[in-house]
Amino acid sequence: MAGCVARRALAVGSRWWSRSLTGARGPRPLCSAGGAGAFPPAATTTTRRHLSSRNRPEGKVLETVGVFEVPKQNGKYETGQLFLHSVFGYRGVVLFPWQARLYDRDVASTAPEKAENPAGHGSKEVKGKTHTYYQVLIDARDCPHISQRSQTEAVTFLANHDDSRALYAIPGLDYVSHEDILPYTSTDQVPIQHELFERFLLYDQTKSPPFVARETLRAWQEKNHPWLELSDVHRETTENIRVTVIPFYMGMREAQNSHVYWWRYCIRLENLDSDVVQLRERHWRIFSLSGTLETVRGRGVVGREPVLSKEQPAFQYSSHVSLQASSGHMW
């Protein structure tokens, strides 16, 4: 797998699952409460969002947030595009796109020559295909209601060299696949509540969408490009559980007269079946090209044992790993 800097690589594999109850899958309406911003996954074909009484917070009233647009089947969304996340339901705004290589092991390669195999030992050989992701801001009002995310800071940075242990996070900054974007329009000049919204975007009613990039956004993107860049995405489905992994190279730090290479990785788990499943255990094998092999086992992930059901079919979390060499693999 190609990394973000100097072709450093990290490959990530699968998970163990335990199955439990069963249930029928049905349609789920897209909903919202005024000020609260809690949305179940999936969208309806109506132009306004509604909140069912089952999910409505006490004392909250329904209010119009915007009008849906037709999702783009071709082409990219522009900077300033407002959207709802089709899986996690939050409101957001597009900052800029990333062109990633998607290695989908559920799609057989038809090429006669030997395919690229970025995941390493024991993996299906697949070729990456170009796929659009977006750097986005999450509306701060919705963050407390995204229950199927272990955190909403999908982006972390290493501290300076004087403090090799510290990590810095930017809350409410996410990566979203093109097909997860449900675009909408709003008449509000500040439709997304995030501390970076007005620093990065300027309202211009003559434009469509009516939010354009400020110079501060361009400078921030250029300065942090090596640590923000999304270059590779890996996906595989096992027994109707789809695992999507996005690794990011964060940089190198010196510790005890040796080099330590840091990565972060984002993992999304999706239940594509009608059965209810729960993640009970993690089992990692982490290999560094320095020759070390580490095994990590334990209950759940990031302190949770998420249940994936028809109502909440997905779970996403981010974590970090350090290697003694610039490349390695995780299974």
Side-chain angles (χ1 to χ4, degrees):
M1 174 190 306
C4 299
V5 176
R7 296 293 294 178
R8 294 183 172 91
L10 179 69
V12 187
S14 355
R15 293 278 182 191
W16 291 96
W17 291 87
S18 65
R19 293 190 174 273
S20 54
L21 307 175
T22 60
R25 185 180 298 277
R28 299 180 295 274
L30 183 65
C31 312
S32 172
F39 316 117
T44 66
T45 56
T46 59
T47 57
R48 297 183 185 275
R49 298 185 296 158
H50 303 279
L51 183 71
S52 66
S53 59
R54 177 174 61 89
N55 294 323
R56 184 183 302 155
E58 291 299 323
K60 297 293 182 180
V61 295
L62 297 177
E63 64 180 33
T64 300
V65 173
V67 177
F68 274 126
E69 298 178 304
V70 177
K72 288 187 176 182
Q73 301 300 319
N74 301 299
K76 297 191 294 289
Y77 293 107
E78 302 294 330
T79 295
Q81 175 65 60
L82 301 174
F83 70 92
L84 301 179
H85 195 294
S86 67
V87 175
F88 299 110
Y90 63 73
R91 287 166 286 185
V93 63
V94 170
L95 296 181
F96 46 81
W98 292 110
Q99 292 301 111
R101 297 294 291 174
L102 173 62
Y103 298 92
D104 192 341
R105 285 159 182 81
D106 301 328
V107 179
S109 175
T110 58
E113 68 272 12
K114 183 176 179 180
E116 185 176 354
N117 181 17
H121 176 73
S123 297
K124 300 176 184 176
E125 293 186 347
V126 296
K127 280 190 173 181
K129 294 184 178 181
T130 301
H131 193 77
T132 302
Y133 275 73
Y134 300 94
Q135 197 87 67
V136 308
L137 295 179
I138 303 175
D139 195 310
R141 294 167 294 184
D142 299 343
C143 289
H145 305 282
I146 309 175
S147 61
Q148 290 301 88
R149 294 278 292 265
S150 64
Q151 66 279 316
T152 54
E153 51 271 7
V155 178
T156 50
F157 298 86
L158 287 177
N160 57 42
H161 283 270
D162 297 330
D163 186 0
S164 61
R165 298 171 299 173
L167 291 173
Y168 290 105
I170 301 180
L173 189 65
D174 201 5
Y175 295 87
V176 180
S177 178
H178 182 86
E179 64 268 22
D180 287 337
I181 297 285
L182 297 176
Y184 74 93
T185 60
S186 172
T187 57
D188 192 343
Q189 294 189 17
V190 187
I192 302 297
Q193 291 190 13
H194 190 287
E195 61 181 354
L196 296 177
F197 183 86
E198 292 185 274
R199 289 179 58 187
F200 283 170
L201 298 170
L202 175 68
Y203 180 74
D204 184 347
Q205 62 180 354
T206 66
K207 303 293 185 180
S208 181
F211 304 98
V212 295
R214 294 180 183 268
E215 185 57 37
T216 51
L217 174 58
R218 299 187 185 96
W220 180 81
Q221 179 184 5
E222 181 178 357
K223 177 183 177 181
N224 297 292
H225 183 276
W227 328 119
L228 289 172
E229 183 184 14
L230 188 161
S231 59
D232 296 313
V233 179
H234 296 258
R235 179 184 296 163
E236 185 168 9
T237 302
T238 305
E239 296 186 29
N240 290 314
I241 303 299
R242 183 165 63 191
V243 181
T244 303
V245 181
I246 308 176
F248 301 87
Y249 177 66
M250 299 176 62
M252 181 272 292
R253 293 292 182 267
E254 295 184 6
Q256 299 178 347
N257 298 321
S258 65
H259 292 167
V260 178
Y261 300 86
W262 282 92
W263 299 78
R264 73 176 183 269
Y265 54 91
C266 178
I267 294 186
R268 177 160 138 184
L269 312 166
E270 296 174 89
N271 182 7
L272 307 179
D273 200 358
S274 59
D275 292 346
V276 176
V277 300
Q278 181 177 23
L279 188 150
R280 300 294 300 276
E281 179 184 4
R282 68 184 184 277
H283 180 190
W284 285 111
R285 287 184 296 145
I286 305 170
F287 174 73
S288 171
L289 290 187
S290 63
T292 60
L293 178 63
E294 180 184 5
T295 299
V296 178
R297 300 192 70 157
R299 298 281 295 188
V301 288
V302 291
R304 297 178 63 176
E305 297 181 21
V307 174
L308 305 185
S309 63
K310 62 180 181 179
E311 291 81 13
Q312 294 183 317
F315 178 79
Q316 183 168 311
Y317 73 97
S318 297
S319 190
H320 303 85
V321 65
S322 62
L323 303 176
Q324 301 302 313
S326 58
S327 297
H329 301 283
M330 293 178 67
W331 294 277

